[in-house]
Amino acid sequence: MERIAFHLRIEEGQREAYREEHQDVPEALESAYLDSDAGLETYSVFENDGHVFGYMEVEDPEAIRAVMEESDAQADWAEVMEPIVADEGSHWMDEVYRMI
């Protein structure tokens, strides 16, 4: 099992919109992740003061990234998020410390 994470920044004034959209994530998006061959075990999203931290435990990180880049459900979600989340290029984070 591998651990991967990402960071996003919410556009100024869009924090509530971000949180509201996550109250009802489309089933098609969740299915795209869960039905992939990535072996997704855990996916959590945290938000604080306009900063979003996403964390996944997954068997195949490249497979889950492919879902994020290529699935129609992810493309639809990206359209919803486009005015809410700042586009700042790569958002993947490097793990720099792990205790256990």
Side-chain angles (χ1 to χ4, degrees), residues 20-45:
E20 286 174 16
E21 290 297 341
H22 282 81
Q23 293 299 313
D24 191 23
V25 173
E27 186 176 322
L29 182 60
E30 290 180 345
S31 293
Y33 282 61
L34 293 171
D35 296 342
S36 73
D37 292 329
L40 180 64
E41 182 73 21
T42 298
Y43 184 9
S44 296
V45 176

Side-chain angles (χ1 to χ4, degrees), residues 37-91:
D37 292 329
L40 180 64
E41 182 73 21
T42 298
Y43 184 9
S44 296
V45 176
F46 303 86
E47 186 274 333
N48 183 31
D49 197 28
H51 292 271
V52 175
F53 172 75
Y55 171 81
M56 295 181 191
E57 293 178 357
V58 63
E59 290 289 336
D60 186 348
E62 293 310 313
I64 204 71
R65 287 183 179 122
V67 170
M68 294 177 104
E69 293 172 9
E70 301 168 8
S71 75
D72 291 339
Q74 183 66 48
D76 293 344
W77 184 247
E79 283 185 36
V80 171
M81 290 288 109
E82 193 272 329
I84 298 172
V85 175
D87 182 9
E88 297 179 330
S90 179
H91 54 270

